[in-house]
Amino acid sequence: MKSRLKYLIVYFLFWLFFFIIQKPLFLLFQYQEWEKHSIKEYLQVCWNGISMDISTAGYLSIVVAVVLLISCFTPTSSWVKSFCRKYTYITLIIVCLIIIADIFLYRYWGFRIDDTPLFYLKSPKEAFASGSLFEYFIAIGLFAILIGCALKAYTYIDKKIAVFTGLSWGDAIPILLLIGVLFVGIRGGIGVSTMNTGFVYFSDKTFLNHAAIN
C-alpha cells in the first residue's frame, strides 16, 4: 500500500477508535445512571454512536487528507510529516479538553457540550462554579492520562507509518477517492439528510441518547 494512503487510513482509524473508547469513559463517570440501565443498553450506546464517531473522525482527517493530496505534487515531503504532527497534537489537546469537561459537566448541565452554554455563561467563573475542587483534581489527572495515551499512540503512527517520499502522482487518485469516502462519512451517508444527533438516537431514554452523541 502506498505510504500516504496507508497513513491516511490509519490516521482515520486512530481518531475513530479514540472516539469509540470515549463513550465507555463517559458512561463510567456517570455512575449515578449505572443502576438505571442494562449492559445491553450501554453496548447499544457504543454501537449506535459509531455513525457520528465516523463523521467526527472524518472531519478531523479531511485536513490531513487534503495536505497529503497536495504533497503528491511537491518535490519534498518533509513538511507534510511536520504539519500532520503539529495539527494532530493541537487537535488532540482541544478534543481531550472537551471530552474531560463534558464528562464532569454533564451531571450538572444534563446535556452534552455544544455551543449552548456560550449563550448563557457571562464569565468563565460561572462554568468553573459547576464543579468541586476534588473534581477538578480528578479531571486534571484524567486529562493527563487521556492525552498521554493518545499522544503515545500517535507517536507510534508518526514514527512507523508516516514515512513519505517526494513526488508521488500515483498516490493522488486513491487519496482523492478516499477524500470522497470521508465526505460520505461526514455527511452520514448519501441520503438527503446530513449528520445530526438524530442519527444516533435509538432509545426513549434521554440519557442513553445523550451518551451516544459524539
Side-chain angles (χ1 to χ4, degrees), residues 44-61:
Q44 288 176 323
V45 164
C46 297
W47 174 253
N48 287 277
I50 286 180
S51 60
M52 188 167 277
D53 293 334
I54 291 174
S55 178
T56 312
Y59 269 114
L60 297 180
S61 300

Side-chain angles (χ1 to χ4, degrees), residues 14 89 92 146-158:
F14 163 77
Y89 287 172
L92 273 173
L146 186 62
I147 192 67
C149 292
L151 290 176
K152 186 174 182 179
Y154 178 73
T155 298
Y156 177 85
I157 296 172
D158 183 60

Side-chain angles (χ1 to χ4, degrees), residues 6-63:
K6 180 180 180 181
Y7 174 77
L8 181 55
I9 293 174
V10 173
Y11 189 82
F12 170 79
L13 293 176
F14 163 77
W15 278 114
L16 178 59
F17 180 74
F18 182 80
F19 288 130
I20 288 176
I21 64 174
Q22 174 266 330
K23 285 181 171 56
L25 184 64
F26 173 82
L27 292 170
L28 179 64
F29 278 83
Q30 308 310 316
Y31 52 84
Q32 71 274 21
E33 294 287 339
W34 282 2
E35 297 182 357
K36 301 178 184 179
H37 309 289
S38 65
I39 296 297
K40 180 181 178 181
E41 287 176 316
Y42 288 138
L43 292 175
Q44 288 176 323
V45 164
C46 297
W47 174 253
N48 287 277
I50 286 180
S51 60
M52 188 167 277
D53 293 334
I54 291 174
S55 178
T56 312
Y59 269 114
L60 297 180
S61 300
I62 202 71
V63 174

Side-chain angles (χ1 to χ4, degrees), residues 18-166:
F18 182 80
F19 288 130
I20 288 176
I21 64 174
Q22 174 266 330
K23 285 181 171 56
L25 184 64
F26 173 82
L27 292 170
L28 179 64
F29 278 83
Q30 308 310 316
Y31 52 84
Q32 71 274 21
E33 294 287 339
W34 282 2
E35 297 182 357
K36 301 178 184 179
H37 309 289
S38 65
I39 296 297
K40 180 181 178 181
E41 287 176 316
Y42 288 138
L43 292 175
Q44 288 176 323
V45 164
C46 297
W47 174 253
N48 287 277
I50 286 180
S51 60
M52 188 167 277
D53 293 334
I54 291 174
S55 178
T56 312
Y59 269 114
L60 297 180
S61 300
I62 202 71
V63 174
V64 169
V66 172
V67 169
L68 290 174
L69 180 62
I70 294 173
S71 74
C72 292
F73 305 98
T74 58
T76 177
S77 57
S78 58
W79 64 274
V80 182
K81 189 171 183 177
S82 176
F83 173 87
C84 292
R85 184 187 300 120
K86 293 174 181 177
Y87 167 78
T88 304
Y89 287 172
I90 293 172
T91 309
L92 273 173
I93 291 172
I94 295 172
V95 170
C96 286
L97 283 172
I98 294 173
I99 287 174
I100 300 304
D102 183 53
I103 286 175
F104 286 92
L105 291 178
Y106 180 82
R107 70 185 65 180
Y108 297 103
W109 292 356
F111 57 86
R112 306 299 297 271
I113 283 184
D114 55 15
D115 62 350
T116 304
L118 300 179
F119 293 103
Y120 297 98
L121 296 179
K122 297 180 181 179
S123 69
K125 291 183 179 180
E126 294 185 35
F128 287 108
S130 297
S132 64
L133 185 60
F134 175 74
E135 287 178 320
Y136 289 134
F137 280 118
I138 297 297
I140 292 171
L142 184 59
F143 172 80
I145 294 173
L146 186 62
I147 192 67
C149 292
L151 290 176
K152 186 174 182 179
Y154 178 73
T155 298
Y156 177 85
I157 296 172
D158 183 60
K159 291 181 178 180
K160 300 294 184 179
I161 301 176
V163 181
F164 310 123
T165 56

